[in-house]
Amino acid sequence: MEIQELLGRSAHSMEDLRRMRDLVKAMRSTELQAIVQDGELFSTCITLLQQQSASDSRDSKVGILSETFFAMLDVVPTGALSDSQHEQLQICLSHCSPIVREMALCQASGIYMKQLLQDLSHLAEDASTETRTRAMNTIASLLSLNVENSNNELENLTESWFRHLSKDPMQFCLSLCKQPFTDIRTAALKILQVIASQHWGQVYIKNTPGCLEYILDRRTEHEKAGKEGKYEVVSSIVSSPTALTVFGTEMLLPLRKYEREGPFFIAPDVDIAFEGDGS
């Protein structure tokens, strides 16, 4: 098969990638699923994604690769991927999320991304601690945006992905933030920190009952990683150019106070003297 010959090459030219894309798009879903399960096409796409992510200058190969990658993933259900392929994909996505966002903006990838994010949320709730942490780190990486590179289109995309996590994505995050395991809480706080830097995420935080109170309550964290995680959430809000518009001056005051005091601030005990206590 021609695609197998293309996959076997040690280097891939632009012409190779275009031909691979055209072959993938022309395949019936059963044929494509069989090739993905064989592993070589999947691994090649993953490898090329990682190479492009590491490259300082991204050329038009990214566009061709994106069409191939999402043509494959939109046809092949996530249930058809092996455990090792799921793990490989999650690691790749966590390292290559800017490229994934670029591809998602120009490809009809909504169905696949919805399923992927739902899979990640299930892993975050019900798996080994290591797998749960990796799943949450992948979610945070996918939702992350640099403020200087952010725009309405990208924020609309990350918000739509956030909504795919659960019927109530904020409660999903908060329930993980309140788990008794530090590694789980810290990873969940990273998701909260990522959305706290974006306008839509701030709206979610403001409108979710008890969320701000939880963020400002220092008593929920007793270890260094947890204290730092909460501080990063607060810092993301305070430093955001949209925070004042979303929260207003009054709601921002305790957040700014929290940031000024730092992650490890401990409020002093206040002794209250009652009349007639002899002191």
Side-chain angles (χ1 to χ4, degrees):
M1 187 182 292
E2 184 180 354
I3 195 166
Q4 300 291 0
E5 190 272 326
L6 287 169
L7 291 170
R9 296 181 181 178
S10 58
H12 297 87
S13 66
M14 184 71 74
E15 184 178 347
D16 291 338
L17 292 179
R18 287 197 184 101
R19 184 59 184 154
M20 193 185 302
R21 173 200 61 192
D22 294 342
L23 288 169
V24 166
K25 286 188 170 184
M27 283 183 183
R28 296 194 304 270
S29 60
T30 52
E31 292 177 313
L32 187 54
Q33 185 167 323
I35 289 179
V36 170
Q37 287 177 314
D38 181 56
E40 195 170 359
L41 175 61
F42 186 86
S43 296
T44 298
C45 283
I46 291 288
T47 300
L48 288 170
L49 259 178
Q50 291 173 322
Q51 289 173 349
Q52 289 294 325
S53 179
S55 174
D56 290 333
S57 58
R58 299 177 191 166
D59 55 29
S60 52
K61 286 184 179 180
V62 173
I64 303 298
L65 176 61
S66 71
E67 292 184 60
T68 308
F69 192 65
F70 277 115
M72 174 180 69
L73 294 178
D74 278 339
V75 170
V76 179
T78 54
L81 300 179
S82 67
D83 290 343
S84 63
Q85 286 176 325
H86 268 295
E87 182 175 351
Q88 193 179 14
L89 179 60
Q90 287 176 32
I91 293 171
C92 174
L93 289 176
S94 67
H95 293 157
C96 308
S97 53
I99 289 181
V100 174
R101 281 192 292 272
E102 289 174 16
M103 292 192 293
L105 283 171
C106 62
Q107 304 299 324
S109 58
I111 294 174
Y112 176 74
M113 290 306 296
K114 179 179 180 179
Q115 185 60 56
L116 172 66
L117 287 156
Q118 289 174 347
D119 287 350
L120 288 171
S121 68
H122 292 152
L123 288 173
E125 291 181 310
D126 186 18
S128 67
T129 298
E130 182 181 356
T131 300
R132 293 177 72 186
T133 301
R134 184 187 299 128
M136 283 185 277
N137 287 340
T138 303
I139 291 169
S141 183
L142 287 171
L143 297 177
S144 177
L145 288 178
N146 292 326
V147 174
E148 58 270 20
N149 296 328
S150 180
N151 56 50
N152 289 338
E153 191 176 21
L154 284 173
E155 287 215 12
N156 288 339
L157 180 69
T158 53
E159 181 183 4
S160 72
W161 288 357
F162 181 71
R163 290 199 305 266
H164 290 328
L165 291 173
S166 169
K167 290 181 179 178
D168 190 340
M170 281 302 297
Q171 287 306 319
F172 162 79
C173 287
L174 288 174
S175 66
L176 291 170
C177 286
K178 297 174 183 178
Q179 293 284 305
F181 311 106
T182 302
D183 288 349
I184 300 297
R185 292 200 311 276
T186 304
L189 283 167
K190 181 63 179 176
I191 298 175
L192 206 56
Q193 181 256 316
V194 162
I195 71 168
S197 66
Q198 300 177 57
H199 178 268
W200 62 264
Q202 293 163 15
V203 173
Y204 270 95
I205 289 170
K206 177 187 176 183
N207 293 339
T208 300
C211 186
L212 268 179
E213 289 80 0
Y214 161 74
I215 291 172
L216 291 167
D217 187 357
R218 293 181 182 271
R219 296 170 299 176
T220 64
E221 295 299 332
H222 304 286
E223 298 187 31
K224 181 175 182 289
K227 292 174 185 286
E228 290 174 336
K230 265 207 171 183
Y231 180 79
E232 290 301 321
V233 176
V234 173
S235 183
S236 289
I237 294 173
V238 171
S239 62
S240 169
T242 60
L244 183 60
T245 302
V246 174
F247 293 99
T249 303
E250 187 174 348
M251 292 183 75
L252 271 181
L253 286 175
L255 290 163
R256 287 172 173 160
K257 181 174 182 288
Y258 191 116
E259 186 193 36
R260 285 196 308 271
E261 291 170 341
F264 308 115
F265 175 78
I266 300 175
D269 292 330
V270 178
D271 293 327
I272 301 176
F274 293 95
E275 185 177 352
D277 66 358
S279 58

